[in-house]
Amino acid sequence: MTGTPDLSKPDLTSPDLYRFWWEERVRFNDLDAVGHVNNNALGVYFEQARVALINTVGGFTPEVPWTVVLARSLIEYKAELLYPNTVRVGARTLRLGTSSITLGCAIFLGDRCIATQEAVAVIVDKAAHRPTPIPEPLRAKLMEA
C-alpha cells in the first residue's frame, strides 16, 4: 500500500485499503436455491473477520471488562460467489467514536470484490450491559488496525 488512504470516503472495494485479512472457505450449506452463496453466509464471513480483528487487539477474552456488539451493518453485494471457493475478508478501522468503532470490510475472490460492509460496533461494559468509552490501550491498537 502506498501512502495513507483517504478514510473520509474509503473505497471499500480496494484490497489496498485493508491491513487485516481473514480467510473463509465457502461451504456447501452457504448456498441458496440458485447455487449462489446466500447473503446470510456473507454476513457470517464478515462477522468472522470482525471478531478475529477485535480478538487480535485484545477483545473477546475473559479478562477484559468489556465486549463488542454490532449496532449497525450496511452490506453492499457486488458479485456472485459460488461453491467451491476460498475468499479473503479484509477489515480495518475507519473511525473511532467515544464508545463506537466503525469498521470497513470487504470479501474478495482474488482481487474481485464480492461484497462490502460498513459496520458500527459498540464497546459495552460486560457487567452493566451499557456502552462504555473505548479503553485507551484498545483505542491505540484500533488506530493501527
Side-chain angles (χ1 to χ4, degrees):
M1 185 165 91
T2 59
T4 303
D6 176 9
L7 297 181
S8 62
K9 291 186 180 184
D11 179 7
L12 297 179
T13 66
S14 173
D16 292 338
L17 180 69
Y18 302 99
R19 301 176 190 161
F20 180 85
W21 291 95
W22 182 257
E23 188 175 276
E24 280 288 320
R25 288 186 188 267
V26 174
R27 295 167 290 276
F28 182 77
N29 69 337
D30 292 342
L31 305 181
D32 62 17
V34 182
H36 302 114
V37 173
N38 181 282
N39 61 334
N40 274 344
L42 295 178
V44 171
Y45 301 168
F46 283 127
E47 178 183 54
Q48 288 297 109
R50 286 193 318 273
V51 168
L53 182 137
I54 297 298
N55 187 265
T56 63
V57 296
F60 299 118
T61 62
E63 19 333 304
V64 295
W66 51 268
T67 192
V68 182
V69 297
L70 184 65
R72 179 176 178 268
S73 172
L74 173 63
I75 297 174
E76 293 187 21
Y77 304 96
K78 307 288 187 184
E80 69 180 1
L81 181 59
L82 303 172
Y83 173 86
N85 268 306
T86 300
V87 295
R88 346 178 258 147
V89 185
R92 73 163 296 142
T93 301
L94 297 177
R95 289 178 290 286
L96 294 173
T98 302
S99 62
S100 67
I101 306 160
T102 302
L103 297 173
C105 304
I107 298 169
F108 294 92
L109 181 60
D111 283 338
R112 183 175 187 203
C113 184
I114 302 299
T116 62
Q117 180 191 52
E118 187 173 298
V120 177
V122 177
I123 303 296
V124 174
D125 181 278
K126 285 181 183 176
H129 296 265
R130 302 287 307 152
T132 189
I134 300 170
E136 284 309 315
L138 176 62
R139 181 176 291 277
K141 290 177 183 174
L142 285 168
M143 294 290 284
E144 297 173 5

